[in-house]
Amino acid sequence: MTTLEISPEEFRWLSAQITSLAAEYLANLDSQPICPATTGLETDRLLRTELPEQGCGREALAQLPEILRRSRVQNGRFFGYVLGSGEPVAATADLLASVLNQNVTAWRSGPAAVTIEKTVVGWLAQAIGCGEFRGHLTGGGSSANLMGLTIAREAKTPANEKGSAGTGVVYASEEVHMSIPKSVALLGIGRDNLRLIPVDTDFRMNVGALEERIREDKAAGRIPIAVVASAGTVNTGAIDPLRRIAELAHGNGLWFHVDGAYGALAAMAAPESFDGLELADSISLDPHKWLYQPLDCGCLLYRSSEAAQRAFSHSGDYARSLSADPVEGFAFFEESLELSRRFRALKLWLSLRYHGFAAFRDSIRQDLVHAQRLAEAISKESSLKLMAPVALSAVCFQYVGRPEQSPEKANDFNLALLRRVVQRGRIYLSNAVLRGNFCLRACIVNHRTTQADIDSVVPEVLAAAEEITSG
């Protein structure tokens, strides 16, 4: 046995210790403060240790409770960002996936893993009404958006061999996720060639303004490449008018990419809100958001495998397939930026089989109901104001109990209020800036959230505001 090998008995002991810690953590989740009581200095002092030249064996586990105590708790009152709640059945599969250590590059390197990934990707496409799409799992929506736009660029302005031959343009709304400006920069299109289209009163892309910008760019000799529509913007959850944008994009020869990392999986529960999603050329999804999977688990769907291969197929001799069989010769790296890829699909496969899609659909639907309940509670409180329609599960609001304040002072107060709410540790909110207004933001993508959790938000915000006012 090498010095790095352990016995099966030792692995059982280690696994039992980890499982016990995890089970205790889950058992006490609801009673824990969401924001850990620690400082940066204290966390560094405890966890930033010297390089361990010699191993300490089982004593290495001694600091795991400290890590748990200094981790943010995602119980039912965690409403920050757009972050799924970490479904435990999926978490168990992650251990097995790490032990198997499959490199999911191609069928020959992981026959079961590749088959499972192709299966769950097919399930996801079917679940959102895009059954003819194929694709692969990614690290998250940002990488899926980058790869989707890479396919678009190569389809409309091929650059892989000779570089860019013209001024290509990409269109998205003012509310677009930050991964889109990053992607156009990395692709060499340039952020100056990203057209940010104004939004309407509901924070949805203005299709008339989009049409005008496309017309202007064509007249100036520029090459429109793609339109990025949002199926749930990160700030408010707004869903762009997908069908109208698809018709405009395809009528002008543009690629139609949908950033659905936040919202598109809600099409399982509210398909009527996503009319036109099936017209996309590519779609990003994040099962680690609204399928509650442990990080990381994103997905890119696309209509054309040939288009994906034109963008990504470039293999060294050491990686070329040795089989012409359509199953055994398959390689994910021919349709993806990644070569080394972990077995992300196992947790999703096990979780979906264990619970069934109906259970996830019901949970998403309940999150949507929770958001409307919170919006109603805010509307009934005179010192609070809703700042955007609640299209999905993001609820943006301001404390307006001090109407004599200037807009700048109101923003400062709401920033202080958010900090106080988080400091109190009972609920966790994030923030958004909408038309210059600093807002408190609750985003509900959490299978643990109950009505009681929702009903705690307004009293908690008001209590924090009272502390600041009287302090």
Side-chain angles (χ1 to χ4, degrees):
M1 183 179 294
T2 69
T3 55
L4 290 179
E5 191 59 87
I6 62 171
S7 67
E9 291 74 23
E10 183 69 1
F11 181 78
R12 288 191 185 94
W13 184 89
L14 289 167
S15 301
Q17 303 308 305
I18 299 295
T19 301
S20 178
L21 276 172
E24 183 179 1
Y25 172 80
L26 290 172
N28 296 308
L29 202 59
D30 200 52
S31 63
Q32 299 300 311
I34 295 178
C35 196
T38 189
T39 65
L41 185 63
E42 181 184 26
T43 307
D44 273 7
R45 179 179 59 81
L46 286 167
L47 301 180
R48 287 180 67 89
T49 57
E50 296 295 325
L51 184 150
E53 183 63 31
Q54 300 298 324
C56 56
R58 292 183 174 186
E59 290 181 17
L61 278 63
Q63 279 192 300
L64 290 179
E66 293 292 348
I67 293 173
L68 267 63
R69 280 192 284 272
R70 285 162 177 80
S71 295
R72 188 175 53 210
V73 174
Q74 288 184 261
N75 60 28
R77 298 181 304 282
F78 179 86
F79 308 121
Y81 321 115
V82 191
L83 182 59
S85 38
E87 194 278 308
V89 172
T92 66
D94 257 347
L95 172 61
L96 183 58
S98 293
V99 171
L100 291 173
N101 198 35
Q102 300 293 283
N103 191 358
V104 194
T105 63
W107 188 92
R108 67 175 181 174
S109 64
V114 167
T115 304
I116 291 295
E117 181 163 339
K118 292 171 76 173
T119 298
V120 298
V121 168
W123 288 350
L124 295 177
Q126 181 182 348
I128 64 170
C130 299
E132 75 277 17
F133 284 57
R134 63 181 298 170
H136 53 268
L137 298 183
T138 69
S142 293
S143 56
N145 285 333
L146 172 61
M147 285 189 276
L149 286 178
T150 302
I151 300 172
R153 186 207 62 186
E154 201 59 19
K156 302 299 179 181
T157 55
N160 279 357
E161 300 303 323
K162 297 182 179 179
S164 178
T167 305
V169 184
V170 174
Y171 306 84
S173 90
E174 294 173 334
E175 291 290 302
V176 72
H177 187 263
M178 66 180 186
S179 62
I180 301 302
K182 282 190 176 184
S183 294
V184 298
L186 291 170
L187 289 170
I189 297 169
R191 283 192 280 266
D192 284 349
N193 294 312
L194 174 62
R195 304 288 186 257
L196 296 180
I197 305 302
V199 295
D200 62 19
T201 55
D202 291 340
F203 297 95
R204 304 165 78 227
M205 188 190 293
N206 184 316
V207 181
L210 170 64
E211 185 174 18
E212 180 63 25
R213 291 308 304 269
I214 293 173
R215 187 184 303 117
E216 290 174 359
D217 282 323
K218 282 187 168 182
R222 302 184 185 94
I223 306 170
I225 295 174
V227 180
V228 180
S230 296
T233 59
V234 70
N235 277 333
T236 68
I239 302 167
D240 288 333
L242 302 177
R243 181 169 295 277
R244 292 177 61 202
I245 295 172
E247 291 168 353
L248 180 61
H250 292 154
N252 284 276
L254 280 74
W255 188 272
F256 180 41
H257 177 72
V258 174
D259 179 2
Y262 167 16
L265 283 164
M268 292 170 52
E272 67 281 358
S273 297
F274 297 88
D275 178 51
L277 181 63
E278 73 281 1
L279 300 177
D281 295 299
S282 54
I283 307 169
S284 63
L285 305 173
D286 265 355
H288 64 217
K289 290 186 173 71
W290 234 336
L291 286 181
Y292 315 107
Q293 296 297 293
L295 294 163
D296 58 18
C297 191
C299 180
L300 175 65
L301 298 177
Y302 37 83
R303 187 181 300 278
S304 170
S305 293
E306 291 74 18
Q309 289 164 10
R310 283 197 298 273
F312 297 114
S313 181
H314 183 78
S315 304
D317 288 337
Y318 51 83
R320 293 189 188 279
S321 175
L322 304 179
S323 172
D325 183 271
V327 174
E328 296 182 13
F330 176 80
F332 273 120
F333 59 75
E334 297 286 3
E335 301 181 15
S336 169
L337 179 65
E338 295 179 305
L339 179 56
S340 298
R341 304 170 69 252
R342 76 185 306 268
F343 194 177
R344 297 183 181 106
L346 185 59
K347 59 188 171 190
L348 185 55
W349 179 84
L350 184 63
S351 181
L352 292 172
R353 281 173 53 85
Y354 186 96
H355 295 291
F357 267 94
F360 285 96
R361 187 178 298 110
D362 289 345
S363 189
I364 293 170
R365 189 175 292 122
Q366 192 60 54
D367 284 342
L368 298 174
V369 170
H370 284 327
Q372 294 299 326
R373 183 182 182 91
L374 176 56
E376 184 179 355
I378 290 167
S379 297
K380 290 178 178 178
E381 174 52 55
S382 61
S383 59
L384 301 177
K385 179 183 177 182
L386 276 175
M387 301 299 287
V390 180
L392 287 173
S393 68
V395 184
C396 297
F397 61 103
Q398 258 198 342
Y399 181 85
V400 293
R402 307 173 78 182
E404 74 284 356
Q405 288 184 333
S406 66
E408 293 78 14
K409 290 290 186 182
N411 284 347
D412 291 343
F413 184 87
N414 278 273
L415 172 58
L417 177 57
L418 176 60
R419 287 172 172 162
R420 182 62 60 93
V421 167
V422 171
Q423 183 183 39
R424 285 166 62 91
R426 295 175 177 87
I427 64 172
Y428 194 98
L429 304 177
S430 57
N431 60 278
V433 177
L434 302 178
R435 299 192 173 102
N437 298 303
F438 185 92
C439 305
L440 281 68
R441 175 178 169 279
C443 188
I444 307 157
V445 285
N446 192 330
H447 74 279
R448 299 185 176 102
T449 298
T450 65
Q451 283 191 3
D453 295 324
I454 294 298
D455 293 344
S456 71
V457 174
V458 168
E460 185 63 19
V461 170
L462 296 179
E466 177 63 26
E467 284 183 4
I468 297 172
T469 303
S470 61

